[in-house]
Amino acid sequence: MTGPGSAGQVDGPVLSRPVVVRLLVVLAAASGCIDVFCVTRLGGFFASVITGNLVQLGHAVATTKPQLVAGGATAVGGYALGVAGGMLPLRRLGSGWRRRTAGVAVAESVLLAGVAVGWWATGGRPGYAFGLALLGAASAASGVQSVITLSAGIRGAATTYLTGSLTEVVRGAVLDPHRIVAGAGGISRLLGLFVGAVLGALTLTVAPRWAPALAAALVVAVVVVAVGLAQRGATTERGRHG
């Protein structure tokens, strides 16, 4: 029989806060990369910026443009499905980066890899219907990433929608300029998103068929680092108690 604390012992946080903060910056870069790809190559919709997608969708409905309506609905619906799917393995766990978190990140990387393979296989010309499928998969990946971020144990952190992060950074600086360091995590993620968008745009220019692969590679890098550090921590802990 297990006690109430057994779940935390079996799958408790495995990474420290500073490590998680750095991993979230890389995830923000992946988000910037996949968003610049989607908005420039898949019909003008973002993978993660639902506010912008809803505005676009509303405009499409008002102007009766069926193709844009389908694109907006796919982007918003794909994101929602990603959030729901990402929550399933994490819903009974507390906050913090856990072993299952890496598993959810693997699911995100698989979705992004699927987008990359689909884009490459069609020579960067997926057509309307397959383009919708790629947009849906990219949006689902962003939804999964949002769940990972919210579950990671960093209060107020975001890696896919950073309006709140910018608001908090500026608000904190105005209220108390001496506390600007407290907003360093938010600033880092904002810069990560920006750098990811720049890198994604450059890749679209010099090697367009490989553009989505960059976002997938960034998420894979996060998984590899997270699993490696967690394993090293577990080995150290076993040695300490051995």
Side-chain angles (χ1 to χ4, degrees):
M1 186 164 193
T2 58
S6 58
Q9 294 167 0
V10 171
D11 195 6
V14 294
L15 298 180
S16 67
R17 175 187 167 89
V19 169
V20 174
V21 168
R22 290 175 176 82
L23 293 181
L24 293 185
V25 173
V26 181
L27 288 179
S31 184
C33 182
I34 197 65
D35 265 331
V36 79
F37 165 73
C38 287
V39 81
T40 59
R41 295 295 190 272
L42 297 180
F45 292 98
F46 293 93
S48 67
V49 187
I50 300 306
T51 303
N53 287 341
L54 286 173
V55 170
Q56 289 265 58
L57 180 57
H59 177 260
V61 169
T63 54
T64 60
K65 295 180 178 177
Q67 288 193 334
L68 287 179
V69 170
T74 298
V76 174
Y79 183 90
L81 287 174
V83 171
M87 274 302 300
L88 288 175
L90 299 177
R91 68 190 186 279
R92 296 179 186 217
L93 301 177
S95 63
W97 190 286
R98 298 162 184 269
R99 296 187 188 281
R100 290 191 196 177
T101 309
V104 176
V106 168
E108 180 190 356
S109 67
V110 168
L111 286 167
L112 291 175
V115 174
V117 170
W119 180 255
W120 182 85
T122 59
R125 300 177 181 277
Y128 174 69
F130 196 60
L132 281 181
L134 295 182
L135 177 62
S139 299
S142 291
V144 172
Q145 182 172 307
S146 291
V147 169
I148 292 170
T149 306
L150 291 173
S151 303
I154 308 300
R155 184 176 176 273
T159 60
T160 53
Y161 45 92
L162 278 82
T163 305
S165 296
L166 180 59
T167 303
E168 283 301 311
V169 168
V170 176
R171 177 176 175 272
V174 171
L175 289 176
D176 185 0
H178 297 95
R179 293 184 58 199
I180 190 66
V181 175
I187 294 172
S188 297
R189 289 187 297 276
L190 286 163
L191 289 174
L193 184 80
F194 174 75
V195 170
V198 170
L199 292 175
L202 288 174
T203 307
L204 280 168
T205 301
V206 300
R209 289 182 66 175
W210 296 97
L214 178 58
L218 288 170
V219 178
V220 168
V222 167
V223 172
V224 170
V225 170
V227 171
L229 290 177
Q231 185 61 39
R232 188 171 72 178
T235 302
T236 302
E237 190 68 20
R238 283 195 298 269
R240 188 176 301 149
H241 290 87

PDB file of all heavy atoms in Angstrom, residues 205-236:
ATOM      1  N   THR A 205      15.389  31.407 -45.541  1.00  0.00           N
ATOM      2  CA  THR A 205      16.037  32.099 -46.650  1.00  0.00           C
ATOM      3  C   THR A 205      17.118  31.250 -47.310  1.00  0.00           C
ATOM      4  O   THR A 205      17.193  31.155 -48.540  1.00  0.00           O
ATOM      5  CB  THR A 205      16.667  33.424 -46.159  1.00  0.00           C
ATOM      6  OG1 THR A 205      15.642  34.250 -45.602  1.00  0.00           O
ATOM      7  CG2 THR A 205      17.343  34.164 -47.306  1.00  0.00           C
ATOM      8  N   VAL A 206      17.945  30.602 -46.503  1.00  0.00           N
ATOM      9  CA  VAL A 206      19.108  29.891 -47.064  1.00  0.00           C
ATOM     10  C   VAL A 206      18.843  28.396 -47.301  1.00  0.00           C
ATOM     11  O   VAL A 206      19.473  27.788 -48.167  1.00  0.00           O
ATOM     12  CB  VAL A 206      20.342  30.064 -46.150  1.00  0.00           C
ATOM     13  CG1 VAL A 206      20.702  31.525 -46.009  1.00  0.00           C
ATOM     14  CG2 VAL A 206      20.113  29.446 -44.776  1.00  0.00           C
ATOM     15  N   ALA A 207      17.937  27.807 -46.524  1.00  0.00           N
ATOM     16  CA  ALA A 207      17.635  26.374 -46.683  1.00  0.00           C
ATOM     17  C   ALA A 207      16.177  26.132 -46.332  1.00  0.00           C
ATOM     18  O   ALA A 207      15.861  25.484 -45.325  1.00  0.00           O
ATOM     19  CB  ALA A 207      18.547  25.529 -45.790  1.00  0.00           C
ATOM     20  N   PRO A 208      15.252  26.655 -47.142  1.00  0.00           N
ATOM     21  CA  PRO A 208      13.821  26.632 -46.789  1.00  0.00           C
ATOM     22  C   PRO A 208      13.242  25.259 -46.525  1.00  0.00           C
ATOM     23  O   PRO A 208      12.321  25.112 -45.728  1.00  0.00           O
ATOM     24  CB  PRO A 208      13.148  27.309 -47.993  1.00  0.00           C
ATOM     25  CG  PRO A 208      14.152  27.245 -49.100  1.00  0.00           C
ATOM     26  CD  PRO A 208      15.493  27.281 -48.442  1.00  0.00           C
ATOM     27  N   ARG A 209      13.772  24.228 -47.191  1.00  0.00           N
ATOM     28  CA  ARG A 209      13.207  22.890 -46.990  1.00  0.00           C
ATOM     29  C   ARG A 209      13.515  22.345 -45.592  1.00  0.00           C
ATOM     30  O   ARG A 209      12.885  21.397 -45.145  1.00  0.00           O
ATOM     31  CB  ARG A 209      13.743  21.938 -48.057  1.00  0.00           C
ATOM     32  CG  ARG A 209      13.180  22.222 -49.447  1.00  0.00           C
ATOM     33  CD  ARG A 209      13.680  21.239 -50.482  1.00  0.00           C
ATOM     34  NE  ARG A 209      13.207  19.884 -50.236  1.00  0.00           N
ATOM     35  CZ  ARG A 209      13.433  18.862 -51.061  1.00  0.00           C
ATOM     36  NH1 ARG A 209      14.110  19.066 -52.187  1.00  0.00           N
ATOM     37  NH2 ARG A 209      12.996  17.661 -50.779  1.00  0.00           N
ATOM     38  N   TRP A 210      14.486  22.931 -44.912  1.00  0.00           N
ATOM     39  CA  TRP A 210      14.892  22.442 -43.599  1.00  0.00           C
ATOM     40  C   TRP A 210      14.402  23.323 -42.450  1.00  0.00           C
ATOM     41  O   TRP A 210      14.722  23.064 -41.294  1.00  0.00           O
ATOM     42  CB  TRP A 210      16.413  22.316 -43.535  1.00  0.00           C
ATOM     43  CG  TRP A 210      16.939  21.293 -44.482  1.00  0.00           C
ATOM     44  CD1 TRP A 210      17.442  21.515 -45.739  1.00  0.00           C
ATOM     45  CD2 TRP A 210      16.984  19.881 -44.284  1.00  0.00           C
ATOM     46  NE1 TRP A 210      17.803  20.335 -46.331  1.00  0.00           N
ATOM     47  CE2 TRP A 210      17.529  19.308 -45.458  1.00  0.00           C
ATOM     48  CE3 TRP A 210      16.623  19.045 -43.225  1.00  0.00           C
ATOM     49  CZ2 TRP A 210      17.719  17.938 -45.601  1.00  0.00           C
ATOM     50  CZ3 TRP A 210      16.812  17.675 -43.373  1.00  0.00           C
ATOM     51  CH2 TRP A 210      17.347  17.141 -44.541  1.00  0.00           C
ATOM     52  N   ALA A 211      13.625  24.342 -42.752  1.00  0.00           N
ATOM     53  CA  ALA A 211      13.243  25.316 -41.726  1.00  0.00           C
ATOM     54  C   ALA A 211      12.551  24.707 -40.505  1.00  0.00           C
ATOM     55  O   ALA A 211      12.937  24.991 -39.363  1.00  0.00           O
ATOM     56  CB  ALA A 211      12.374  26.406 -42.347  1.00  0.00           C
ATOM     57  N   PRO A 212      11.524  23.853 -40.662  1.00  0.00           N
ATOM     58  CA  PRO A 212      10.861  23.316 -39.463  1.00  0.00           C
ATOM     59  C   PRO A 212      11.755  22.385 -38.648  1.00  0.00           C
ATOM     60  O   PRO A 212      11.508  22.180 -37.462  1.00  0.00           O
ATOM     61  CB  PRO A 212       9.651  22.550 -40.020  1.00  0.00           C
ATOM     62  CG  PRO A 212       9.542  22.943 -41.445  1.00  0.00           C
ATOM     63  CD  PRO A 212      10.890  23.375 -41.885  1.00  0.00           C
ATOM     64  N   ALA A 213      12.781  21.833 -39.290  1.00  0.00           N
ATOM     65  CA  ALA A 213      13.660  20.903 -38.581  1.00  0.00           C
ATOM     66  C   ALA A 213      14.423  21.595 -37.461  1.00  0.00           C
ATOM     67  O   ALA A 213      14.792  20.963 -36.453  1.00  0.00           O
ATOM     68  CB  ALA A 213      14.648  20.266 -39.559  1.00  0.00           C
ATOM     69  N   LEU A 214      14.657  22.901 -37.593  1.00  0.00           N
ATOM     70  CA  LEU A 214      15.383  23.635 -36.553  1.00  0.00           C
ATOM     71  C   LEU A 214      14.601  23.637 -35.246  1.00  0.00           C
ATOM     72  O   LEU A 214      15.169  23.409 -34.167  1.00  0.00           O
ATOM     73  CB  LEU A 214      15.654  25.065 -37.019  1.00  0.00           C
ATOM     74  CG  LEU A 214      16.367  25.977 -36.026  1.00  0.00           C
ATOM     75  CD1 LEU A 214      17.708  25.396 -35.602  1.00  0.00           C
ATOM     76  CD2 LEU A 214      16.544  27.373 -36.622  1.00  0.00           C
ATOM     77  N   ALA A 215      13.299  23.889 -35.313  1.00  0.00           N
ATOM     78  CA  ALA A 215      12.470  23.876 -34.103  1.00  0.00           C
ATOM     79  C   ALA A 215      12.479  22.501 -33.456  1.00  0.00           C
ATOM     80  O   ALA A 215      12.602  22.363 -32.233  1.00  0.00           O
ATOM     81  CB  ALA A 215      11.040  24.307 -34.428  1.00  0.00           C
ATOM     82  N   ALA A 216      12.353  21.454 -34.282  1.00  0.00           N
ATOM     83  CA  ALA A 216      12.381  20.089 -33.746  1.00  0.00           C
ATOM     84  C   ALA A 216      13.715  19.801 -33.073  1.00  0.00           C
ATOM     85  O   ALA A 216      13.769  19.198 -31.989  1.00  0.00           O
ATOM     86  CB  ALA A 216      12.127  19.084 -34.874  1.00  0.00           C
ATOM     87  N   ALA A 217      14.808  20.254 -33.684  1.00  0.00           N
ATOM     88  CA  ALA A 217      16.140  20.008 -33.116  1.00  0.00           C
ATOM     89  C   ALA A 217      16.303  20.698 -31.766  1.00  0.00           C
ATOM     90  O   ALA A 217      16.922  20.139 -30.842  1.00  0.00           O
ATOM     91  CB  ALA A 217      17.216  20.491 -34.091  1.00  0.00           C
ATOM     92  N   LEU A 218      15.758  21.889 -31.629  1.00  0.00           N
ATOM     93  CA  LEU A 218      15.857  22.609 -30.349  1.00  0.00           C
ATOM     94  C   LEU A 218      15.118  21.862 -29.240  1.00  0.00           C
ATOM     95  O   LEU A 218      15.613  21.750 -28.112  1.00  0.00           O
ATOM     96  CB  LEU A 218      15.297  24.027 -30.504  1.00  0.00           C
ATOM     97  CG  LEU A 218      16.161  24.996 -31.322  1.00  0.00           C
ATOM     98  CD1 LEU A 218      15.392  26.277 -31.617  1.00  0.00           C
ATOM     99  CD2 LEU A 218      17.459  25.312 -30.588  1.00  0.00           C
ATOM    100  N   VAL A 219      13.935  21.344 -29.552  1.00  0.00           N
ATOM    101  CA  VAL A 219      13.178  20.600 -28.534  1.00  0.00           C
ATOM    102  C   VAL A 219      13.876  19.286 -28.208  1.00  0.00           C
ATOM    103  O   VAL A 219      13.942  18.874 -27.036  1.00  0.00           O
ATOM    104  CB  VAL A 219      11.726  20.354 -29.000  1.00  0.00           C
ATOM    105  CG1 VAL A 219      10.964  19.541 -27.960  1.00  0.00           C
ATOM    106  CG2 VAL A 219      11.010  21.676 -29.235  1.00  0.00           C
ATOM    107  N   VAL A 220      14.427  18.622 -29.212  1.00  0.00           N
ATOM    108  CA  VAL A 220      15.193  17.384 -28.961  1.00  0.00           C
ATOM    109  C   VAL A 220      16.378  17.693 -28.051  1.00  0.00           C
ATOM    110  O   VAL A 220      16.699  16.914 -27.137  1.00  0.00           O
ATOM    111  CB  VAL A 220      15.660  16.762 -30.282  1.00  0.00           C
ATOM    112  CG1 VAL A 220      16.685  15.663 -30.021  1.00  0.00           C
ATOM    113  CG2 VAL A 220      14.475  16.197 -31.052  1.00  0.00           C
ATOM    114  N   ALA A 221      17.046  18.817 -28.274  1.00  0.00           N
ATOM    115  CA  ALA A 221      18.177  19.199 -27.426  1.00  0.00           C
ATOM    116  C   ALA A 221      17.730  19.371 -25.972  1.00  0.00           C
ATOM    117  O   ALA A 221      18.425  18.958 -25.036  1.00  0.00           O
ATOM    118  CB  ALA A 221      18.808  20.488 -27.940  1.00  0.00           C
ATOM    119  N   VAL A 222      16.561  19.965 -25.771  1.00  0.00           N
ATOM    120  CA  VAL A 222      16.024  20.121 -24.415  1.00  0.00           C
ATOM    121  C   VAL A 222      15.794  18.754 -23.770  1.00  0.00           C
ATOM    122  O   VAL A 222      16.143  18.535 -22.606  1.00  0.00           O
ATOM    123  CB  VAL A 222      14.707  20.939 -24.452  1.00  0.00           C
ATOM    124  CG1 VAL A 222      13.969  20.839 -23.112  1.00  0.00           C
ATOM    125  CG2 VAL A 222      14.997  22.400 -24.777  1.00  0.00           C
ATOM    126  N   VAL A 223      15.219  17.830 -24.531  1.00  0.00           N
ATOM    127  CA  VAL A 223      14.957  16.484 -24.004  1.00  0.00           C
ATOM    128  C   VAL A 223      16.265  15.807 -23.617  1.00  0.00           C
ATOM    129  O   VAL A 223      16.389  15.228 -22.524  1.00  0.00           O
ATOM    130  CB  VAL A 223      14.203  15.631 -25.035  1.00  0.00           C
ATOM    131  CG1 VAL A 223      14.108  14.183 -24.560  1.00  0.00           C
ATOM    132  CG2 VAL A 223      12.807  16.191 -25.287  1.00  0.00           C
ATOM    133  N   VAL A 224      17.255  15.864 -24.497  1.00  0.00           N
ATOM    134  CA  VAL A 224      18.535  15.193 -24.239  1.00  0.00           C
ATOM    135  C   VAL A 224      19.198  15.770 -22.996  1.00  0.00           C
ATOM    136  O   VAL A 224      19.680  15.023 -22.121  1.00  0.00           O
ATOM    137  CB  VAL A 224      19.459  15.332 -25.462  1.00  0.00           C
ATOM    138  CG1 VAL A 224      20.867  14.853 -25.125  1.00  0.00           C
ATOM    139  CG2 VAL A 224      18.899  14.537 -26.640  1.00  0.00           C
ATOM    140  N   VAL A 225      19.232  17.079 -22.877  1.00  0.00           N
ATOM    141  CA  VAL A 225      19.860  17.711 -21.713  1.00  0.00           C
ATOM    142  C   VAL A 225      19.094  17.363 -20.438  1.00  0.00           C
ATOM    143  O   VAL A 225      19.687  17.027 -19.407  1.00  0.00           O
ATOM    144  CB  VAL A 225      19.927  19.237 -21.902  1.00  0.00           C
ATOM    145  CG1 VAL A 225      20.358  19.930 -20.607  1.00  0.00           C
ATOM    146  CG2 VAL A 225      20.901  19.587 -23.021  1.00  0.00           C
ATOM    147  N   ALA A 226      17.759  17.452 -20.498  1.00  0.00           N
ATOM    148  CA  ALA A 226      16.947  17.174 -19.314  1.00  0.00           C
ATOM    149  C   ALA A 226      17.132  15.738 -18.840  1.00  0.00           C
ATOM    150  O   ALA A 226      17.323  15.482 -17.645  1.00  0.00           O
ATOM    151  CB  ALA A 226      15.476  17.451 -19.617  1.00  0.00           C
ATOM    152  N   VAL A 227      17.095  14.791 -19.769  1.00  0.00           N
ATOM    153  CA  VAL A 227      17.251  13.379 -19.397  1.00  0.00           C
ATOM    154  C   VAL A 227      18.657  13.124 -18.871  1.00  0.00           C
ATOM    155  O   VAL A 227      18.845  12.422 -17.868  1.00  0.00           O
ATOM    156  CB  VAL A 227      16.945  12.464 -20.600  1.00  0.00           C
ATOM    157  CG1 VAL A 227      17.318  11.023 -20.294  1.00  0.00           C
ATOM    158  CG2 VAL A 227      15.465  12.556 -20.966  1.00  0.00           C
ATOM    159  N   GLY A 228      19.654  13.705 -19.515  1.00  0.00           N
ATOM    160  CA  GLY A 228      21.028  13.507 -19.071  1.00  0.00           C
ATOM    161  C   GLY A 228      21.279  14.049 -17.674  1.00  0.00           C
ATOM    162  O   GLY A 228      21.892  13.376 -16.828  1.00  0.00           O
ATOM    163  N   LEU A 229      20.799  15.254 -17.415  1.00  0.00           N
ATOM    164  CA  LEU A 229      20.996  15.844 -16.091  1.00  0.00           C
ATOM    165  C   LEU A 229      20.204  15.102 -15.019  1.00  0.00           C
ATOM    166  O   LEU A 229      20.675  14.925 -13.894  1.00  0.00           O
ATOM    167  CB  LEU A 229      20.585  17.316 -16.118  1.00  0.00           C
ATOM    168  CG  LEU A 229      21.507  18.251 -16.909  1.00  0.00           C
ATOM    169  CD1 LEU A 229      20.943  19.663 -16.919  1.00  0.00           C
ATOM    170  CD2 LEU A 229      22.914  18.256 -16.319  1.00  0.00           C
ATOM    171  N   ALA A 230      18.993  14.661 -15.374  1.00  0.00           N
ATOM    172  CA  ALA A 230      18.191  13.896 -14.412  1.00  0.00           C
ATOM    173  C   ALA A 230      18.872  12.579 -14.070  1.00  0.00           C
ATOM    174  O   ALA A 230      18.905  12.154 -12.906  1.00  0.00           O
ATOM    175  CB  ALA A 230      16.793  13.655 -14.974  1.00  0.00           C
ATOM    176  N   GLN A 231      19.434  11.918 -15.093  1.00  0.00           N
ATOM    177  CA  GLN A 231      20.117  10.653 -14.861  1.00  0.00           C
ATOM    178  C   GLN A 231      21.363  10.847 -14.008  1.00  0.00           C
ATOM    179  O   GLN A 231      21.648  10.058 -13.104  1.00  0.00           O
ATOM    180  CB  GLN A 231      20.503  10.022 -16.208  1.00  0.00           C
ATOM    181  CG  GLN A 231      21.117   8.649 -16.097  1.00  0.00           C
ATOM    182  CD  GLN A 231      20.186   7.636 -15.469  1.00  0.00           C
ATOM    183  OE1 GLN A 231      18.987   7.642 -15.735  1.00  0.00           O
ATOM    184  NE2 GLN A 231      20.713   6.782 -14.608  1.00  0.00           N
ATOM    185  N   ARG A 232      22.108  11.917 -14.282  1.00  0.00           N
ATOM    186  CA  ARG A 232      23.296  12.192 -13.488  1.00  0.00           C
ATOM    187  C   ARG A 232      22.939  12.488 -12.043  1.00  0.00           C
ATOM    188  O   ARG A 232      23.606  12.040 -11.117  1.00  0.00           O
ATOM    189  CB  ARG A 232      24.060  13.377 -14.087  1.00  0.00           C
ATOM    190  CG  ARG A 232      25.416  13.606 -13.420  1.00  0.00           C
ATOM    191  CD  ARG A 232      26.219  14.626 -14.177  1.00  0.00           C
ATOM    192  NE  ARG A 232      25.694  15.967 -14.005  1.00  0.00           N
ATOM    193  CZ  ARG A 232      26.236  17.056 -14.543  1.00  0.00           C
ATOM    194  NH1 ARG A 232      27.294  16.949 -15.333  1.00  0.00           N
ATOM    195  NH2 ARG A 232      25.707  18.240 -14.333  1.00  0.00           N
ATOM    196  N   GLY A 233      21.841  13.245 -11.862  1.00  0.00           N
ATOM    197  CA  GLY A 233      21.388  13.540 -10.508  1.00  0.00           C
ATOM    198  C   GLY A 233      20.981  12.290  -9.766  1.00  0.00           C
ATOM    199  O   GLY A 233      21.272  12.117  -8.572  1.00  0.00           O
ATOM    200  N   ALA A 234      20.304  11.364 -10.475  1.00  0.00           N
ATOM    201  CA  ALA A 234      19.868  10.112  -9.841  1.00  0.00           C
ATOM    202  C   ALA A 234      21.063   9.260  -9.460  1.00  0.00           C
ATOM    203  O   ALA A 234      21.097   8.648  -8.383  1.00  0.00           O
ATOM    204  CB  ALA A 234      18.946   9.349 -10.798  1.00  0.00           C
ATOM    205  N   THR A 235      22.076   9.227 -10.335  1.00  0.00           N
ATOM    206  CA  THR A 235      23.278   8.463 -10.040  1.00  0.00           C
ATOM    207  C   THR A 235      24.012   9.022  -8.825  1.00  0.00           C
ATOM    208  O   THR A 235      24.481   8.271  -7.949  1.00  0.00           O
ATOM    209  CB  THR A 235      24.231   8.464 -11.256  1.00  0.00           C
ATOM    210  OG1 THR A 235      23.530   7.918 -12.386  1.00  0.00           O
ATOM    211  CG2 THR A 235      25.478   7.643 -10.976  1.00  0.00           C
ATOM    212  N   THR A 236      24.106  10.345  -8.759  1.00  0.00           N
ATOM    213  CA  THR A 236      24.750  10.995  -7.611  1.00  0.00           C
ATOM    214  C   THR A 236      24.015  10.696  -6.318  1.00  0.00           C
ATOM    215  O   THR A 236      24.615  10.417  -5.290  1.00  0.00           O
ATOM    216  CB  THR A 236      24.811  12.519  -7.844  1.00  0.00           C
ATOM    217  OG1 THR A 236      25.527  12.777  -9.049  1.00  0.00           O
ATOM    218  CG2 THR A 236      25.489  13.219  -6.672  1.00  0.00           C
TER     219      THR A 236
END
